[in-house]
Amino acid sequence: MKEPKVHVGILFEPQIEFILLNPYRINGMEISGKQVVTYNEGRILWNGRLYNELLFEPVNEATDAFELLDVTIGINFHWERKEDQRFLGSLKIIVENKKLTGINVIHVEDYLTSVISSEMSATASLELLKAHAVISRSWLLAIDNSIDNSLRHDSAAPNNAANCQLSTVNCQLKWYERDAHTRFDVCADDHCQRYQGITRASTEIVKQAIAATRGQVLTSDGKICDARFSKCCGGAFEEFQYCWEDTPHPYLRKQRDFRIFNPKTCDLSFEATRPGGGLPDLTDEQEAETWIRTSPPAFCNTTNKRILSQVLNNYDQETTDFYRWKMEYTQEELSALILKRSGIDYGQIIDLVPIARGTSGRLWKLKIVGTKRTLTIGKELEIRRTLSTSHLYSSAFIVGKEDVSPEGIPGRFILTGAGWGHGVGLCQIGAAVMGEEGYKYDAILLHYYIGASIEKLYD
């Protein structure tokens, strides 16, 4: 098959400013230089005329680039900021939700070159970069196993699981999916995969990793794997159904992030006799508490700054404690935070009660008990969003209460937690350690995607 193209949503604003750094074609004309497009009563205003859609195509697809001004990165995260970004490929402008959306249309392999440089440092080991190239390609192309992404761009109906809410009087579960995007394939932020075009220069080793794995994807039961990944699993893999819809994937199963391979032979035998080699039942509250309060060995249990600098970009390195971490809130801080983030007035917070945990100890149901209201929320991302000004590192935490009043109102809450992100699929920090220890990219992939195969989809 032929290498497909991907539509990436970059910018969502009432007005978009950009610079065509080389000649671009539109409506039979060649133009370049700074351009401004503005939302105007359901249409696009450009150069004094109104349009339903604009497509700026490069004259030379391999080299021509454009620059988008004031792109927001890290949306709703603690390091959110704006920056100017450059991109290869075409620029498409559409109207969506009473704003303009700027979309980059680009070949998959060019997209991946940027993703690998955006998701982690381009100084990472070759084997880690190769592994990440395969999972990023798989995750992207698993959007539609027919691989004809052009069929999706004008779909009007989002997947209901994209922002699913199952409500009763006392329970509210939500999860957030990439299928919320209906007029482009993926967004450019952490909601999908970080993509920042050619803003961050790719090194030769990144290009080598992309070329060495060109067209390769992970498959299971004849389908491309939905290859999720997160920063740090905290020592144990989470399963898909505890974070998103209730459809378990056989390759995203529970397992300890520990040495199960011989890096030379790729022997898949578990080291069952190794002390501490087994994974406790972290759906059990007592087992989860013991696990979170200790620091068991794991690939991702590292403080090696040299390795971490290979995985984490500068703004990610603002986070220093991630394998095990602690957050503290006063009663006033927590009650105000939950009100602001959820829009629900619980009154004073009496308790945060674990109701259900996944296979990594991550909570996917949490009961918030207040003086005015009690409600069980989930899944993991909704819990993280509710208990932080941006996103709590993970939902694998236990709750401590201090300074409890005679009326039973705690004065202080202490959350002790494990990991960074949802913990499903590849653990980026664990994979970085594996690469440094001599594991090849196929061994890294088969550690995190259990029973999967690596296949070449196109040349």
Side-chain angles (χ1 to χ4, degrees):
M1 66 169 291
K2 188 178 179 181
E3 177 189 356
K5 288 186 176 181
V6 59
H7 288 56
V8 189
I10 309 292
L11 192 57
F12 315 91
E13 299 289 347
Q15 180 172 290
I16 295 176
E17 298 184 25
F18 58 97
I19 302 171
L20 301 173
L21 301 171
N22 307 98
Y24 270 65
R25 292 193 184 100
I26 182 168
N27 300 330
M29 303 181 295
E30 285 193 11
I31 62 169
S32 61
K34 186 172 183 179
Q35 312 293 324
V36 179
V37 291
T38 306
Y39 175 82
N40 187 307
E41 298 182 350
R43 302 185 75 188
I44 305 163
L45 177 63
W46 176 57
N47 285 349
R49 297 184 63 182
L50 292 173
Y51 301 85
N52 294 322
E53 181 177 295
L54 293 171
L55 179 63
F56 299 88
E57 297 181 291
V59 173
N60 188 329
E61 197 171 40
T63 60
D64 291 351
F66 62 90
E67 184 170 296
L68 285 175
L69 307 183
D70 288 335
V71 178
T72 302
I73 65 171
I75 296 173
N76 293 327
F77 283 85
H78 60 279
W79 45 266
E80 180 177 320
R81 66 200 67 182
K82 288 182 179 290
E83 66 177 21
D84 299 341
Q85 295 184 342
R86 292 189 177 190
F87 301 89
L88 295 172
S90 301
L91 173 62
K92 186 177 184 180
I93 308 291
I94 64 171
V95 176
E96 194 174 36
N97 301 321
K98 296 184 178 180
K99 291 184 179 180
L100 301 183
T101 296
I103 299 170
N104 184 201
V105 184
I106 190 168
H107 284 290
V108 165
E109 299 300 314
D110 290 333
Y111 166 81
L112 291 173
T113 301
S114 170
V115 165
I116 303 308
S117 300
S118 302
E119 280 286 347
M120 62 182 63
S121 169
T123 62
S125 71
L126 177 61
E127 296 306 310
L128 171 62
L129 294 172
K130 287 161 68 174
H132 218 295
V134 174
I135 65 170
S136 293
R137 188 182 294 110
S138 301
W139 183 90
L140 176 68
L141 297 182
I143 292 172
D144 185 335
N145 276 311
S146 73
I147 318 301
D148 185 4
N149 295 313
S150 63
L151 297 177
R152 302 182 65 256
H153 302 318
D154 296 316
S155 170
N159 184 331
N160 289 333
N163 183 350
C164 187
Q165 180 173 315
L166 306 175
S167 297
T168 66
V169 173
N170 297 313
C171 185
Q172 180 171 286
L173 301 183
K174 295 181 183 179
W175 60 92
Y176 301 82
E177 269 287 15
R178 63 185 176 186
D179 284 343
H181 307 312
T182 59
R183 299 189 65 192
F184 50 89
D185 297 314
V186 290
C187 68
D189 212 57
D190 290 66
H191 176 264
C192 292
Q193 297 187 115
R194 284 186 195 171
Y195 170 70
Q196 294 161 1
I198 55 175
T199 309
R200 285 166 180 77
S202 297
T203 63
E204 286 305 313
I205 193 171
V206 169
K207 296 175 183 177
Q208 183 181 346
I210 299 296
T213 63
R214 180 179 173 85
Q216 290 184 13
V217 295
L218 285 162
T219 64
S220 177
D221 295 330
K223 296 181 180 180
I224 302 173
C225 292
D226 188 348
R228 305 292 169 116
F229 57 90
S230 64
K231 280 286 182 285
C232 175
C233 68
F237 305 170
E238 191 52 81
E239 294 188 349
F240 180 91
Q241 67 270 23
Y242 296 113
C243 298
W244 299 285
E245 61 184 318
D246 190 18
T247 52
H249 295 329
Y251 48 88
L252 297 176
R253 300 203 306 268
K254 69 177 182 180
Q255 181 172 285
R256 180 138 178 214
D257 189 27
F258 209 56
R259 291 162 179 78
I260 63 168
F261 287 105
N262 179 320
K264 305 299 182 184
T265 65
C266 291
D267 180 6
L268 301 184
S269 300
F270 279 91
E271 295 184 348
T273 60
R274 187 183 181 97
L279 181 65
D281 179 8
L282 300 181
T283 64
D284 177 82
E285 193 59 33
Q286 188 57 55
E287 292 280 14
E289 180 168 352
T290 300
W291 176 263
I292 291 169
R293 288 197 183 279
T294 57
S295 185
F299 284 121
C300 58
N301 186 359
T302 181
T303 57
N304 187 313
K305 291 184 178 180
R306 184 179 60 81
I307 293 177
L308 294 177
S309 69
Q310 296 177 18
V311 180
L312 306 179
N313 281 308
N314 291 335
Y315 40 80
D316 282 332
Q317 292 180 46
E318 296 168 12
T319 304
T320 55
D321 299 320
F322 49 83
Y323 188 72
R324 294 294 182 267
W325 49 264
K326 187 171 289 188
M327 290 286 292
E328 297 188 15
Y329 298 105
T330 65
Q331 172 65 234
E332 293 74 18
E333 289 170 339
L334 184 62
S335 56
L337 174 65
I338 292 176
L339 172 59
K340 180 179 179 180
R341 297 292 283 169
S342 69
I344 298 172
D345 185 3
Y346 291 87
Q348 291 181 295
I349 305 301
I350 299 172
D351 207 352
L352 302 173
V353 183
I355 299 298
R357 294 185 184 271
T359 53
S360 71
R362 282 167 170 79
L363 286 163
W364 66 278
K365 285 185 182 180
L366 175 73
K367 182 190 289 185
I368 302 176
V369 181
T371 56
K372 294 183 178 179
R373 181 166 184 183
T374 295
L375 183 68
T376 296
I377 66 168
K379 293 184 175 182
E380 66 88 30
L381 182 57
E382 188 67 7
I383 293 170
R384 292 166 58 200
R385 287 162 59 100
T386 301
L387 298 180
S388 173
T389 54
S390 57
H391 293 70
L392 200 66
Y393 293 149
S394 87
S395 67
F397 61 83
I398 52 177
V399 181
K401 295 173 288 181
E402 293 183 351
D403 304 328
V404 181
S405 73
E407 296 76 27
I409 308 297
R412 182 177 297 274
F413 288 84
I414 302 171
L415 307 186
T416 303
W420 183 2
H422 51 66
V424 178
L426 182 132
C427 168
Q428 290 178 312
I429 292 171
V433 173
M434 291 183 75
E436 284 296 304
E437 292 188 1
Y439 291 80
K440 300 300 183 184
Y441 83 102
D442 53 350
I444 295 172
L445 290 170
L446 298 181
H447 171 56
Y448 290 107
Y449 304 96
I450 300 164
S453 301
I454 302 171
E455 297 184 17
K456 193 172 181 67
L457 198 63
Y458 55 83
D459 293 322

